Amino acid sequence: MMVYNNFSIAPNNFTVGHSLLKFDTANANKDVVAYSDRDILLQAMPGQVCTYNHEQDIKIGAILNTSVYEPLRILVANVRFWESRPECEMLVKKIKDIYERTGELGFSFEIFTNTVECSTCGGKFPAQIEESRPGARDFERHYCDHLKTRMSPNSTTFRILRDLEPAGEAVVMDGDKPAFADSKTFIAAKSEDINLALEKLGEIEKILKGDK
């Protein structure tokens, strides 16, 4: 219902409502966004771009709005894909085809962080370049032992991301998995599809209220 309430439609645009992350819960990268920082994401993410597989030079859409589903502390968002732009229309067509075939799309958030905090000892350390770059392991020598070994199978330690700078999100394709494993697509539709869905939802509400 929260996704529906925030859903925004423009003619001939492919728009997707989805969950993006769960606050205070470690994702596959052993990273956590604190619930106390939710307002940073809610205020900064609308208007940010959506990339294709985190490729920063492949921008395919923009985030319209965000909200938090409070019972589970899950961030939900609506993204509009730019299917009318020649430079990305083929990728958007691919995304639509996958959704129509599977009923699901994966999304992953993009956030810059200046500080990381250890969930075990509470130590705070400056954030550096991502670990995938050459020589990146060297910069982690300033981490505590808990963070250095956090990716080992027996570790329960995770990094809490602090001093956040939200940068947008990515639709995750081609076999890659979103860091938030429970990322779900709730709505993906054009205007005529969502109008029909809202009509169905209205009928269901009448039944539940005993009006029909």
Side-chain angles (χ1 to χ4, degrees):
M1 281 300 297
M2 184 169 291
V3 177
Y4 272 110
N5 289 340
N6 286 327
F7 205 74
S8 178
I9 279 292
N12 301 317
N13 277 272
F14 185 53
T15 306
V16 177
H18 59 280
S19 56
L20 191 54
L21 66 89
K22 186 170 185 177
F23 293 100
D24 293 337
T25 301
N27 63 17
N29 297 323
K30 290 290 191 77
D31 291 333
V32 164
V33 177
Y35 180 71
S36 58
D37 287 331
R38 64 192 181 281
D39 286 344
I40 298 175
L41 277 70
L42 290 173
Q43 294 169 10
M45 292 195 73
Q48 300 274 16
V49 298
C50 177
T51 64
Y52 184 89
N53 266 356
H54 295 294
E55 295 289 342
Q56 296 304 301
D57 58 340
I58 307 180
K59 300 175 177 63
I60 57 175
I63 300 171
L64 300 177
N65 50 53
T66 56
S67 55
V68 178
Y69 179 58
E70 292 294 351
L72 296 179
R73 294 186 172 184
I74 291 177
L75 181 71
V76 295
N78 287 307
V79 61
R80 178 170 295 150
F81 290 111
W82 299 327
E83 60 181 330
S84 60
R85 296 190 180 188
E87 67 272 19
C88 56
E89 61 180 343
M90 294 305 296
L91 285 177
V92 175
K93 182 180 184 303
K94 176 181 178 180
I95 293 168
K96 288 177 64 178
D97 290 344
I98 290 175
Y99 175 75
E100 290 172 359
R101 187 173 71 252
T102 67
E104 190 58 72
L105 296 169
F107 292 85
S108 186
F109 65 85
E110 296 182 346
I111 291 179
F112 296 111
T113 181
N114 296 314
T115 306
V116 297
E117 179 180 341
C118 175
S119 64
T120 300
C121 69
K124 293 185 179 181
F125 309 92
Q128 305 287 337
I129 59 175
E130 60 262 25
E131 296 178 25
S132 60
R133 295 185 184 178
R137 289 295 177 186
D138 292 340
F139 76 72
E140 288 199 344
R141 63 182 180 272
H142 67 281
Y143 277 6
C144 62
D145 289 339
H146 307 114
L147 287 179
K148 288 179 182 178
T149 59
R150 71 188 183 284
M151 299 306 291
S152 62
N154 296 326
S155 175
T156 59
T157 298
F158 49 84
R159 293 189 301 190
I160 304 173
L161 308 182
R162 300 296 188 186
D163 302 322
L164 302 177
E165 297 179 26
E169 67 174 7
V171 61
V172 183
M173 309 289 291
D174 303 326
D176 290 343
K177 301 293 184 183
F180 173 39
D182 291 327
S183 173
K184 300 295 182 184
T185 305
F186 296 117
I187 311 171
K190 286 188 176 181
S191 56
E192 58 269 23
D193 300 321
I194 194 63
N195 288 335
L196 178 61
L198 288 172
E199 289 179 10
K200 299 285 187 183
L201 182 62
E203 293 175 3
I204 292 172
E205 286 182 321
K206 289 181 180 179
I207 293 172
L208 292 175
K209 293 178 180 178
D211 297 334
K212 186 175 181 181

